């Protein structure tokens, strides 16, 4: 008689989260199916409802679990370092495309679109906080930094434009610092 497989709720949840994040990144919310996610994770479809409640719940968990910019960024230099690292070729070895693409794929769902806007706005506020720029005056500039980062991620991972695709964090650091200084200069 075969030995029953040992159940590990944490490992199952993690497998579903990883499979969901990869599918949402590659295909977007609308084209991703729960059946495909369950198959990728090698588990029963019903477990998605158990752990996440719904497809939207899984996307929300994937967005919350995605590596976050700015947690380590406490000043202008750290912002440039964090951007350079997260936009470099070595940052996402487990993905074919940059995980930020999960935020860009059209969902057709108002709640999912709201989650997407919130994530990008939170990122903008982290840029402001870390660079010391006043939030009420410089949000547009911070959002331009975010848009630049998203654009770099798209061109690097989805388009594969060289030399950007293979740029290291070290190669990205100086140009990103110059851009930060231009968009969010230190005001005396």
């Amino acid at each position: 008689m075969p030995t029953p497989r040992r159940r590990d709720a944490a490992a199952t949840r993690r497998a579903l989260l990883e499979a969901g994040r990869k599918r949402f990144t590659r295909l977007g919310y609308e084209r991703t199916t729960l059946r495909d996610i369950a198959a990728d994770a090698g588990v029963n479809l019903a477990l998605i409802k158990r752990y996440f409640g719904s497809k939207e719940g899984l996307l929300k968990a994937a967005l919350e679990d995605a590596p976050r910019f700015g947690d380590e960024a406490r000043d202008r230099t750290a912002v440039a370092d964090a951007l350079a690292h997260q936009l470099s070729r070595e940052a996402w070895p487990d993905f074919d495309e940059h995980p930020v693409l999960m935020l860009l794929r059209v969902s057709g769902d108002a709640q999912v679109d709201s989650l997407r806007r919130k994530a990008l706005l939170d990122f903008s506020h982290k840029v402001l906080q870390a660079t010391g720029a006043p939030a009420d005056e410089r949000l547009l500039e911070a959002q331009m930094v975010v848009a630049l980062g998203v654009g770099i991620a798209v061109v690097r991972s989805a388009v594969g434009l060289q030399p950007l695709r293979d740029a290291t964090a070290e190669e990205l650091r100086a140009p990103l610092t110059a851009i930060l200084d231009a968009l969010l200069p230190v005001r005396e």
Side-chain angles (χ1 to χ4, degrees):
M1 177 178 268
T3 306
R5 196 166 85 176
R6 186 170 180 236
R7 293 183 183 161
D8 183 342
T12 299
R13 186 179 191 286
R14 168 70 40 211
L16 285 167
L17 193 56
E18 288 294 318
R21 188 170 52 212
K22 286 180 181 180
R23 288 262 175 190
F24 291 135
T25 299
R26 272 195 337 265
L27 302 173
Y29 181 79
E30 193 171 292
R31 291 179 34 213
T32 295
T33 69
L34 294 182
R35 186 174 311 283
D36 287 339
I37 292 170
D40 291 350
V43 301
N44 186 300
L45 178 63
L47 292 175
I48 294 174
K49 280 209 184 276
R50 172 186 281 174
Y51 294 116
F52 302 101
S54 65
K55 182 176 168 180
E56 181 185 318
L58 178 56
L59 176 66
K60 185 176 182 180
L63 288 172
E64 289 170 357
D65 187 60
R68 298 209 180 278
F69 164 82
D71 292 340
E72 70 286 354
R74 303 286 181 241
D75 61 28
R76 177 177 299 277
T77 301
V79 170
D81 287 346
L83 280 169
H85 171 71
Q86 291 199 7
L87 296 171
S88 70
R89 70 171 184 218
E90 59 269 347
W92 311 107
D94 298 338
F95 295 88
D96 294 330
E97 295 181 328
H98 195 290
V100 78
L101 297 179
M102 184 172 25
L103 295 172
L104 303 181
R105 309 279 193 224
V106 176
S107 73
D109 182 293
Q111 288 183 310
V112 171
D113 290 343
S114 177
L115 288 172
R116 178 173 53 184
R117 275 189 300 278
K118 182 183 180 319
L120 292 169
L121 185 60
D122 289 349
F123 181 44
S124 300
H125 284 289
K126 285 183 179 186
V127 168
L128 286 171
Q129 183 180 21
T131 59
D136 56 337
E137 297 174 19
R138 309 298 296 275
L139 185 57
L140 175 62
E141 291 91 337
Q143 288 177 346
M144 291 172 72
V145 169
V146 171
L148 175 73
V150 170
I152 290 170
V154 168
V155 171
R156 187 189 73 74
S157 61
V159 178
L161 188 64
Q162 287 289 12
L164 188 58
R165 185 189 78 196
D166 291 335
T168 65
E170 189 59 39
E171 292 168 327
L172 293 172
R173 188 171 288 108
L176 287 169
T177 299
I179 290 166
L180 275 173
D181 289 344
L183 284 173
L184 292 165
V186 177
R187 291 192 176 163
E188 301 297 325

